[in-house]
């Protein structure tokens, strides 16, 4: 146990600098990287399987060391990949050096003193890496037949273009090697599960409706939880469009849940401007002051539905089948 959390130490350390070692062009994304089980087609990978769940964080016992050409950070990828397809969430974080104390890193929970081979002192760092964005993977965790998530430790992730076929684009580990070394890791479940959605297909509303989102909360912890769910919305359009009509607003709702209790909250995300268009929406849920789940979604506001011909219309563009 470290800081009250269970860790299982493997016989050897996991050297993250070996991730993607041996990669060479042409590195096909769909037929190579996204098929980690295909023997003979892969560079070195550091991959594990974890249950498909809503996670709040990853805890690691790790350190970095001086390594020529490497950087003191690593990337964790979590999601599903296989069959030439993948849906992954990434988080990159710095890992303190074995000998510098690492007090400046916000993710460091504690330091474990160790004796090095030269009799000098060093530190192994317990780091908590937030993973609230596993909220974007919720549908993949639903049902009894949900596949385990893939968890990968690797270097910086960048957009890769396959040569000589530039149409194949994907984010792959393609940066400098990581100088990080991992001694142990464990996953922290989100104490509250969150399922969000609307009653409208595709989150598409008419301007005569309220853009109402429902949040289904379940406290699976053994203690009472209180917190807040926030919808951070922006639009219409994207920031790149630089529309003078674009605005940002936040809608919040507080909750308090006893152990095992479930509750449904309704939040009205209707734009204050009432303008038609596409809107982004970040849904964040905290528990006892800690962000535990985050989901990126969107919705749209359309003109009033004045169609007279619907299910019996001869034009498919006017017919929205259920």
């Amino acid at each position: 146990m470290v800081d009250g959390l269970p860790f299982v130490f493997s016989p050897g350390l996991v050297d993250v600098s070996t991730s993607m070692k041996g990669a060479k062009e042409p590195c096909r994304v769909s037929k190579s990287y996204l098929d980690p089980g295909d023997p003979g087609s892969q560079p070195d990978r550091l991959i594990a399987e974890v249950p498909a769940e809503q996670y709040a964080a990853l805890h690691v016992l790790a350190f970095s060391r001086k390594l020529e050409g490497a950087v003191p950070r690593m990337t964790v990828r979590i999601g599903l990949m296989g069959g030439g397809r993948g849906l992954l969430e990434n988080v990159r974080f710095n890992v303190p050096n074995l000998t510098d104390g690492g007090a400046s890193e916000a993710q460091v929970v504690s330091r474990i003193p160790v004796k090095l081979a030269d009799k000098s002192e060093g530190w192994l760092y317990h780091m908590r890496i937030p993973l609230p964005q596993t909220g974007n993977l919720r549908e993949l965790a639903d049902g009894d037949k949900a596949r385990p998530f893939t968890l990968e430790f690797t270097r910086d992730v960048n957009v890769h273009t396959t040569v000589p076929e530039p149409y194949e684009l994907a984010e792959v580990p393609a940066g400098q090697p990581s100088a990080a070394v991992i001694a142990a890791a464990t996953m922290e479940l989100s104490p509250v599960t969150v399922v969000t959605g609307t009653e409208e297909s595709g989150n598409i509303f008419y301007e005569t409706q309220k853009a109402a989102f429902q949040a289904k909360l379940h406290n699976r912890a053994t203690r009472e939880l209180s917190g807040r769910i926030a919808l951070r919305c922006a639009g219409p359009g994207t920031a790149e469009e630089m529309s003078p009509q674009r605005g940002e607003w936040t809608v919040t709702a507080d909750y308090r849940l006893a152990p095992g209790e479930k509750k449904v909250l309704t939040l009205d995300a209707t734009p204050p401007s009432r303008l038609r268009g596409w809107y982004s929406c970040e849904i964040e849920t905290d528990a006892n002051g800690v962000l535990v789940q985050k989901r990126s979604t969107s919705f749209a506001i359309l003109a009033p539905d004045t169609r007279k011909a619907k299910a019996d219309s001869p034009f498919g563009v006017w017919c929205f089948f259920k």
Side-chain angles (χ1 to χ4, degrees), residues 19 26 31 48 67 86 92 99 101 108-109 121 134 138 147 206-207 227-228 241 247 255 273 286 289 298 319-320:
S19 172
K31 295 182 180 179
L67 184 66
R92 186 177 71 178
T99 58
V108 173
V109 177
E121 282 193 346
T134 54
R138 180 187 58 77
R147 292 168 49 196
Y206 297 107
E207 64 181 9
R228 172 174 294 181
E241 293 172 327
Y255 71 87
S273 67
D286 72 59
S298 60
C319 187
F320 298 90

Side-chain angles (χ1 to χ4, degrees), residues 109-142:
V109 177
S110 65
R111 301 182 300 169
I112 304 171
V114 294
K115 286 290 184 180
L116 306 182
D118 62 0
K119 307 299 184 182
S120 63
E121 282 193 346
W123 287 273
L124 186 64
Y125 304 96
H126 172 197
M127 304 185 70
R128 182 185 184 274
I129 312 305
L131 284 178
Q133 59 269 51
T134 54
N136 290 325
L137 306 173
R138 180 187 58 77
E139 287 83 356
L140 305 180
D142 285 348

Side-chain angles (χ1 to χ4, degrees), residues 44-64:
D44 290 344
R45 307 280 294 277
L46 302 175
I47 291 177
E49 286 189 347
V50 297
E53 268 284 6
Q54 293 186 31
Y55 293 104
L58 165 72
H59 292 257
V60 295
L61 302 180
F63 62 88
S64 66

